[in-house]
Amino acid sequence: MAGQEDPVQREIHQDWANREYIEVITSSIKKITDFLNSFDMSCRSRLATLNEKLTALERRIEYIEARVSMTCWRLRSCSRASHCLL
């Protein structure tokens, strides 16, 4: 029987096909994992930078609020006194 494979050869071919399929799936999973890890690190870095900028802005706002409060307090004090130097 020249055109037919015996059952052992058919099993071997099927086994190789399964192994190739598993290799493709494994490789794809590794690529996705690498991408996700890279994306995670990029996001963490960007969020850390953003957090630093927000913290700096919060400090500046607190400073400005304190200056405005002090100026308002001085203006109220000056309105009561006839002589006032800001």
Side-chain angles (χ1 to χ4, degrees), residues 55-65:
T55 300
L57 285 172
E58 287 171 346
R59 278 190 248 130
R60 288 180 67 191
I61 289 171
E62 289 172 0
Y63 172 77
I64 291 169
E65 286 175 341

Side-chain angles (χ1 to χ4, degrees), residues 63-77 86:
Y63 172 77
I64 291 169
E65 286 175 341
R67 292 285 305 255
V68 168
S69 294
M70 184 59 93
T71 301
C72 289
W73 179 80
R74 286 182 181 170
L75 287 174
R76 276 183 265 145
S77 297
L86 294 176

Side-chain angles (χ1 to χ4, degrees), residues 6-65:
D6 68 33
V8 174
Q9 285 182 334
R10 193 174 346 187
E11 240 181 83
I12 290 171
H13 286 291
Q14 185 61 43
D15 183 58
W16 276 107
N18 288 341
R19 288 172 188 260
E20 289 172 354
Y21 179 73
I22 290 169
E23 181 61 32
V24 168
I25 297 296
T26 302
S27 176
S28 296
I29 290 171
K30 286 179 182 178
K31 287 178 184 176
I32 292 169
T33 302
D34 289 343
F35 166 76
L36 290 174
N37 285 332
S38 175
F39 182 75
D40 175 61
M41 292 303 291
S42 175
C43 288
R44 286 178 190 262
S45 173
R46 290 178 185 197
L47 286 172
T49 300
L50 184 59
N51 188 46
E52 290 172 7
K53 289 179 180 180
L54 286 172
T55 300
L57 285 172
E58 287 171 346
R59 278 190 248 130
R60 288 180 67 191
I61 289 171
E62 289 172 0
Y63 172 77
I64 291 169
E65 286 175 341

